[in-house]
Short mmCIF file of all heavy atoms in Angstrom, two decimals:
data_model
loop_
_atom_site.label_atom_id
_atom_site.label_comp_id
_atom_site.label_asym_id
_atom_site.label_seq_id
_atom_site.Cartn_x
_atom_site.Cartn_y
_atom_site.Cartn_z
N GLU G 388 38.41 25.41 -5.89
CA GLU G 388 37.35 26.28 -6.40
C GLU G 388 36.02 25.89 -5.75
O GLU G 388 35.10 25.44 -6.43
CB GLU G 388 37.25 26.16 -7.92
CG GLU G 388 38.51 26.53 -8.67
CD GLU G 388 38.36 26.34 -10.16
OE1 GLU G 388 37.81 27.24 -10.82
OE2 GLU G 388 38.79 25.28 -10.67
N PRO G 389 35.90 26.08 -4.44
CA PRO G 389 34.70 25.60 -3.74
C PRO G 389 33.42 26.30 -4.16
O PRO G 389 32.35 25.67 -4.15
CB PRO G 389 35.04 25.88 -2.27
CG PRO G 389 36.03 26.99 -2.30
CD PRO G 389 36.86 26.73 -3.53
N GLU G 390 33.49 27.58 -4.52
CA GLU G 390 32.26 28.27 -4.92
C GLU G 390 31.75 27.73 -6.25
O GLU G 390 30.54 27.56 -6.43
CB GLU G 390 32.50 29.78 -5.00
CG GLU G 390 31.20 30.56 -5.20
CD GLU G 390 31.37 32.04 -4.94
OE1 GLU G 390 32.49 32.47 -4.58
OE2 GLU G 390 30.37 32.78 -5.07
N VAL G 391 32.66 27.47 -7.19
CA VAL G 391 32.26 26.86 -8.46
C VAL G 391 31.63 25.49 -8.18
O VAL G 391 30.60 25.13 -8.76
CB VAL G 391 33.47 26.70 -9.40
CG1 VAL G 391 33.08 25.90 -10.65
CG2 VAL G 391 34.01 28.06 -9.80
N ALA G 392 32.25 24.74 -7.27
CA ALA G 392 31.73 23.41 -6.91
C ALA G 392 30.30 23.52 -6.37
O ALA G 392 29.42 22.73 -6.73
CB ALA G 392 32.64 22.75 -5.89
N ALA G 393 30.05 24.51 -5.51
CA ALA G 393 28.72 24.68 -4.93
C ALA G 393 27.70 25.04 -6.00
O ALA G 393 26.57 24.53 -6.00
CB ALA G 393 28.76 25.76 -3.85
N VAL G 394 28.07 25.92 -6.91
CA VAL G 394 27.17 26.29 -8.02
C VAL G 394 26.83 25.05 -8.84
O VAL G 394 25.67 24.83 -9.20
CB VAL G 394 27.81 27.38 -8.91
CG1 VAL G 394 27.00 27.56 -10.20
CG2 VAL G 394 27.91 28.71 -8.16
N LEU G 395 27.83 24.24 -9.15
CA LEU G 395 27.60 23.05 -9.97
C LEU G 395 26.74 22.03 -9.23
O LEU G 395 25.90 21.35 -9.84
CB LEU G 395 28.93 22.42 -10.38
CG LEU G 395 29.80 23.27 -11.31
CD1 LEU G 395 31.08 22.53 -11.66
CD2 LEU G 395 29.04 23.64 -12.59
N GLN G 396 26.92 21.91 -7.92
CA GLN G 396 26.05 21.00 -7.18
C GLN G 396 24.60 21.47 -7.20
O GLN G 396 23.68 20.66 -7.30
CB GLN G 396 26.55 20.85 -5.74
CG GLN G 396 27.81 20.01 -5.64
CD GLN G 396 27.99 19.40 -4.27
OE1 GLN G 396 27.88 20.11 -3.27
NE2 GLN G 396 28.26 18.12 -4.22
N GLY G 397 24.41 22.79 -7.13
CA GLY G 397 23.06 23.32 -7.24
C GLY G 397 22.46 23.03 -8.61
O GLY G 397 21.29 22.63 -8.73
N ALA G 398 23.26 23.21 -9.66
CA ALA G 398 22.79 22.93 -11.02
C ALA G 398 22.44 21.46 -11.17
O ALA G 398 21.42 21.11 -11.77
CB ALA G 398 23.87 23.33 -12.02
N ALA G 399 23.28 20.59 -10.62
CA ALA G 399 23.00 19.15 -10.67
C ALA G 399 21.72 18.82 -9.94
O ALA G 399 20.93 17.98 -10.38
CB ALA G 399 24.17 18.37 -10.09
N GLY G 400 21.48 19.49 -8.82
CA GLY G 400 20.26 19.24 -8.06
C GLY G 400 19.01 19.49 -8.89
O GLY G 400 18.02 18.76 -8.78
N THR G 401 19.05 20.52 -9.73
CA THR G 401 17.92 20.81 -10.61
C THR G 401 17.78 19.74 -11.69
O THR G 401 16.67 19.28 -12.00
CB THR G 401 18.09 22.19 -11.26
OG1 THR G 401 18.05 23.19 -10.23
CG2 THR G 401 16.97 22.47 -12.26
N ILE G 402 18.90 19.32 -12.27
CA ILE G 402 18.84 18.30 -13.33
C ILE G 402 18.32 16.98 -12.78
O ILE G 402 17.56 16.27 -13.45
CB ILE G 402 20.23 18.12 -13.97
CG1 ILE G 402 20.72 19.44 -14.59
CG2 ILE G 402 20.17 17.05 -15.08
CD1 ILE G 402 22.17 19.40 -15.05
N TRP G 403 18.71 16.64 -11.55
CA TRP G 403 18.25 15.38 -10.97
C TRP G 403 16.74 15.30 -10.91
O TRP G 403 16.16 14.21 -10.96
CB TRP G 403 18.83 15.19 -9.57
CG TRP G 403 20.22 14.63 -9.55
CD1 TRP G 403 21.36 15.26 -9.15
CD2 TRP G 403 20.63 13.32 -9.96
NE1 TRP G 403 22.46 14.44 -9.29
CE2 TRP G 403 22.04 13.24 -9.78
CE3 TRP G 403 19.95 12.21 -10.46
CZ2 TRP G 403 22.76 12.08 -10.10
CZ3 TRP G 403 20.67 11.06 -10.76
CH2 TRP G 403 22.06 11.00 -10.59
N ARG G 404 16.07 16.42 -10.81
CA ARG G 404 14.61 16.41 -10.77
C ARG G 404 14.01 15.78 -12.02
O ARG G 404 12.92 15.21 -11.98
CB ARG G 404 14.07 17.84 -10.62
CG ARG G 404 14.27 18.46 -9.26
CD ARG G 404 13.62 19.83 -9.21
NE ARG G 404 13.63 20.39 -7.87
CZ ARG G 404 13.08 21.56 -7.56
NH1 ARG G 404 12.49 22.29 -8.51
NH2 ARG G 404 13.12 22.01 -6.33
N SER G 405 14.73 15.91 -13.14
CA SER G 405 14.25 15.34 -14.41
C SER G 405 14.76 13.93 -14.65
O SER G 405 14.36 13.27 -15.60
CB SER G 405 14.69 16.23 -15.58
OG SER G 405 14.19 17.54 -15.45
N VAL G 406 15.66 13.47 -13.80
CA VAL G 406 16.29 12.16 -13.99
C VAL G 406 15.69 11.11 -13.07
O VAL G 406 15.36 10.00 -13.50
CB VAL G 406 17.81 12.26 -13.75
CG1 VAL G 406 18.47 10.88 -13.76
CG2 VAL G 406 18.46 13.15 -14.81
N GLY G 407 15.56 11.43 -11.80
CA GLY G 407 15.08 10.45 -10.84
C GLY G 407 15.64 10.75 -9.47
O GLY G 407 16.06 11.88 -9.20
N PRO G 408 15.68 9.77 -8.59
CA PRO G 408 16.20 9.99 -7.23
C PRO G 408 17.63 10.53 -7.27
O PRO G 408 18.43 10.11 -8.10
CB PRO G 408 16.16 8.58 -6.60
CG PRO G 408 15.16 7.83 -7.41
CD PRO G 408 15.25 8.38 -8.80
N LEU G 409 17.92 11.46 -6.38
CA LEU G 409 19.24 12.06 -6.32
C LEU G 409 20.31 10.99 -6.20
O LEU G 409 20.30 10.19 -5.25
CB LEU G 409 19.33 13.02 -5.13
CG LEU G 409 20.67 13.72 -4.91
CD1 LEU G 409 20.99 14.63 -6.07
CD2 LEU G 409 20.65 14.50 -3.60
N LEU G 410 21.21 10.94 -7.19
CA LEU G 410 22.32 9.97 -7.21
C LEU G 410 21.82 8.54 -7.04
O LEU G 410 22.50 7.68 -6.51
CB LEU G 410 23.35 10.33 -6.14
CG LEU G 410 24.07 11.66 -6.46
CD1 LEU G 410 24.60 12.30 -5.22
CD2 LEU G 410 25.18 11.41 -7.47
N PHE G 411 20.59 8.31 -7.56
CA PHE G 411 19.99 6.97 -7.56
C PHE G 411 19.86 6.37 -6.15
O PHE G 411 19.73 5.16 -6.00
CB PHE G 411 20.80 6.01 -8.44
CG PHE G 411 21.07 6.54 -9.82
CD1 PHE G 411 22.36 6.64 -10.30
CD2 PHE G 411 20.03 6.95 -10.64
CE1 PHE G 411 22.61 7.13 -11.58
CE2 PHE G 411 20.27 7.44 -11.92
CZ PHE G 411 21.56 7.54 -12.39
N ASP G 412 19.89 7.23 -5.13
CA ASP G 412 19.86 6.75 -3.73
C ASP G 412 20.95 5.72 -3.47
O ASP G 412 20.78 4.78 -2.68
CB ASP G 412 18.49 6.14 -3.40
CG ASP G 412 17.40 7.19 -3.32
OD1 ASP G 412 17.72 8.35 -2.98
OD2 ASP G 412 16.23 6.86 -3.59
N SER G 413 22.08 5.89 -4.14
CA SER G 413 23.17 4.93 -4.04
C SER G 413 24.28 5.47 -3.16
O SER G 413 24.75 6.59 -3.34
CB SER G 413 23.74 4.63 -5.44
OG SER G 413 24.99 4.00 -5.36
N ARG G 414 24.74 4.67 -2.21
CA ARG G 414 25.84 5.12 -1.35
C ARG G 414 27.12 5.27 -2.15
O ARG G 414 27.98 6.08 -1.80
CB ARG G 414 26.04 4.15 -0.18
CG ARG G 414 26.47 2.76 -0.56
CD ARG G 414 26.53 1.84 0.66
NE ARG G 414 26.94 0.48 0.33
CZ ARG G 414 28.20 0.09 0.27
NH1 ARG G 414 29.17 0.95 0.53
NH2 ARG G 414 28.50 -1.16 -0.04
N HIS G 415 27.26 4.49 -3.24
CA HIS G 415 28.48 4.58 -4.05
C HIS G 415 28.54 5.91 -4.78
O HIS G 415 29.58 6.59 -4.80
CB HIS G 415 28.54 3.43 -5.06
CG HIS G 415 28.64 2.08 -4.43
ND1 HIS G 415 29.76 1.68 -3.72
CD2 HIS G 415 27.76 1.05 -4.37
CE1 HIS G 415 29.57 0.46 -3.27
NE2 HIS G 415 28.37 0.05 -3.64
N PHE G 416 27.41 6.33 -5.39
CA PHE G 416 27.38 7.59 -6.09
C PHE G 416 27.34 8.78 -5.13
O PHE G 416 27.84 9.85 -5.42
CB PHE G 416 26.17 7.66 -7.03
CG PHE G 416 26.27 6.75 -8.21
CD1 PHE G 416 25.29 5.81 -8.46
CD2 PHE G 416 27.34 6.83 -9.08
CE1 PHE G 416 25.38 4.96 -9.54
CE2 PHE G 416 27.44 5.99 -10.18
CZ PHE G 416 26.46 5.05 -10.41
N ASN G 417 26.72 8.55 -3.96
CA ASN G 417 26.52 9.65 -3.01
C ASN G 417 27.81 10.02 -2.27
O ASN G 417 27.96 11.15 -1.83
CB ASN G 417 25.44 9.28 -2.00
CG ASN G 417 24.80 10.50 -1.37
OD1 ASN G 417 24.56 11.49 -2.03
ND2 ASN G 417 24.54 10.41 -0.09
N ARG G 418 28.74 9.09 -2.14
CA ARG G 418 29.95 9.35 -1.35
C ARG G 418 30.75 10.54 -1.88
O ARG G 418 31.06 11.47 -1.12
CB ARG G 418 30.82 8.09 -1.30
CG ARG G 418 32.10 8.27 -0.49
CD ARG G 418 32.78 6.92 -0.26
NE ARG G 418 34.05 7.09 0.43
CZ ARG G 418 35.22 7.16 -0.18
NH1 ARG G 418 35.28 7.07 -1.50
NH2 ARG G 418 36.32 7.31 0.51
N PRO G 419 31.10 10.58 -3.18
CA PRO G 419 31.85 11.75 -3.65
C PRO G 419 31.04 13.03 -3.59
O PRO G 419 31.58 14.12 -3.39
CB PRO G 419 32.21 11.38 -5.10
CG PRO G 419 31.26 10.32 -5.49
CD PRO G 419 30.98 9.55 -4.24
N HIS G 420 29.70 12.91 -3.75
CA HIS G 420 28.84 14.09 -3.62
C HIS G 420 28.96 14.68 -2.22
O HIS G 420 29.13 15.89 -2.06
CB HIS G 420 27.40 13.68 -3.92
CG HIS G 420 26.39 14.77 -3.66
ND1 HIS G 420 26.10 15.74 -4.59
CD2 HIS G 420 25.63 15.04 -2.57
CE1 HIS G 420 25.19 16.56 -4.08
NE2 HIS G 420 24.89 16.16 -2.87
N LEU G 421 28.89 13.82 -1.21
CA LEU G 421 28.98 14.30 0.17
C LEU G 421 30.37 14.85 0.48
O LEU G 421 30.50 15.84 1.22
CB LEU G 421 28.64 13.17 1.14
CG LEU G 421 27.18 12.69 1.10
CD1 LEU G 421 26.99 11.51 2.05
CD2 LEU G 421 26.23 13.82 1.44
#
């Protein structure tokens, strides 16, 4: 379901603005995102 995945990544991108650096600037958290 790649389109659903893309929508959810966009939604997460907005939420991260209220949380802090995207995926905490961590390579561990960023790997599955990429």
Side-chain angles (χ1 to χ4, degrees):
E388 300 178 82
E390 189 166 359
V391 173
V394 169
L395 294 181
Q396 286 203 311
T401 296
I402 301 171
W403 277 113
R404 287 184 172 182
S405 301
V406 172
L409 179 64
L410 293 155
F411 308 124
D412 290 332
S413 164
R414 64 185 180 87
H415 296 293
F416 290 123
N417 203 39
R418 180 169 176 265
H420 173 84
L421 293 177

